[in-house]
């Protein structure tokens, strides 16, 4: 896998951005890079990268998160070290942006510096099994809302279609046409199709750019 210095993960609520952020950060750290995860999800107080704080600390990954993470307060408060994302260019940063256009507003503060440096990847995380993104056209509408809110264009797509613990290999296969249609309509490359790690070996030879994921503990426990 190749990474730009900053990887931004955006998408609809429940699309699975946080779990992907955790996995990518740990993957980067295995490559002995200086890694940080920024949790900008001030909208959804439930599945946050902050839940993996102990794992990050053990791995030597810096965590930048809202003071209100893991609370029921949806206040637009960001920590001062948020700006390390753009100011410290020795960091490789995975950013969990948050849900839809409201979560993307926080990212807008960093847009000018990110666009000037031009060493970012902004990935649209999609899941056809979420209520408001079941078809490609609805997903494109979400994409456009996010871009308008943050002022940064997407550069690629991650097909993270899943049914949680009920996901099977056939569930993943059934999402491929959807992922390809979103890519075609948007004109963006389909960077990855994700799969829970236990299903990876059975699908790796038939699905290109397959990304195995390990579930965040809190997600497993729910």
């Amino acid at each position: 896998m190749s990474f730009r210095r900053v990887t931004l993960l955006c998408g609809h609520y429940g699309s699975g951005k946080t779990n992907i952020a955790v996995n990518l950060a740990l993957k980067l750290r295995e490559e002995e890079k200086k890694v940080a995860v920024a949790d900008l999800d001030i909208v959804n107080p439930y599945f946050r990268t902050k839940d993996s704080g102990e794992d990050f600390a053990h791995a030597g990954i810096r965590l930048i998160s809202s003071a209100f993470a893991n609370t029921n307060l949806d206040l637009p408060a960001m920590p001062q070290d948020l700006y390390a994302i753009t100011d410290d260019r020795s960091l490789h940063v995975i950013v969990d942006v948050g849900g839809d256009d409201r979560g993307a507003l926080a990212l807008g503060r960093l847009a000018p510096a990110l666009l000037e440096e031009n060493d970012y990847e902004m990935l649209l995380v999609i899941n056809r099994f979420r209520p408001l993104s079941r078809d490609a056209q609805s997903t494109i509408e979400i994409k456009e809302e996010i871009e308008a809110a943050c002022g940064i264009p997407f550069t690629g797509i991650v097909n993270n279609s899943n049914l949680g613990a009920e996901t099977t290999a056939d569930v993943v296969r059934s999402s491929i046409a959807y992922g390809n249609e979103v890519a075609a309509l948007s004109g963006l490359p389909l960077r990855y199709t994700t799969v829970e790690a236990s299903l990876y070996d059975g699908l790796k030879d038939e699905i290109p750019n397959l990304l195995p994921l390990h579930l965040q503990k809190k997600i497993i426990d729910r």
Side-chain angles (χ1 to χ4, degrees), residues 15-215:
S15 59
K17 302 176 299 297
T18 296
N19 194 55
I20 295 171
V22 171
N23 278 265
L24 292 183
L26 292 170
K27 177 65 176 174
L28 263 174
R29 187 62 185 134
E30 289 175 1
E31 299 176 7
E32 300 185 351
K33 298 184 184 296
K34 184 179 177 183
V35 181
V37 173
D39 185 350
L40 303 194
D41 193 343
I42 60 172
V43 176
N44 181 351
Y46 301 110
F47 293 149
R48 296 184 182 274
T49 47
K50 193 168 184 179
D51 298 323
S52 291
E54 292 184 6
D55 292 336
F56 290 155
H58 181 73
I61 295 172
R62 178 177 175 181
L63 176 60
I64 301 169
S65 65
S66 167
F68 297 101
N70 275 339
T71 76
N72 289 320
L73 299 176
D74 291 338
L75 302 180
M78 289 288 109
Q80 184 60 37
D81 65 346
L82 166 70
Y83 297 97
I85 297 170
T86 53
D87 294 346
D88 185 352
R89 296 192 178 183
S90 70
L91 279 176
H92 287 261
V93 189
I94 307 296
V95 186
D96 180 2
V97 175
D100 296 345
D101 56 329
R102 284 170 289 177
L105 286 172
L107 178 60
R109 304 182 197 182
L110 303 177
L114 287 169
L115 291 170
E116 180 181 3
E117 181 186 5
N118 194 29
D119 194 9
Y120 75 91
E121 175 105 86
M122 181 151 146
L123 299 175
L124 176 65
V125 180
I126 63 175
N127 185 343
R128 69 174 289 238
F129 300 107
R130 299 303 299 168
L132 298 182
S133 58
R134 294 188 186 279
D135 60 80
Q137 187 56 53
S138 298
T139 306
I140 293 297
E141 292 172 7
I142 292 170
K143 166 191 171 292
E144 293 171 350
E145 290 171 358
I146 293 172
E147 287 178 324
C150 70
I152 302 175
F154 281 102
T155 61
I157 294 167
V158 178
N159 176 17
N160 190 51
S161 298
N162 70 88
L163 292 171
E166 297 179 8
T167 304
T168 64
D170 283 339
V171 166
V172 179
R173 291 186 183 100
S174 74
S175 74
I176 300 304
Y178 161 78
N180 288 335
E181 185 178 1
V182 173
L185 287 175
S186 65
L188 296 172
L190 183 60
R191 295 288 192 213
Y192 307 110
T193 295
T194 66
V195 64
E196 202 278 322
S198 65
L199 300 174
Y200 177 75
D201 285 343
L203 292 169
K204 64 181 181 180
D205 293 330
E206 61 179 283
I207 299 177
N209 301 317
L210 195 62
L211 177 65
L213 299 179
H214 296 277
L215 288 179

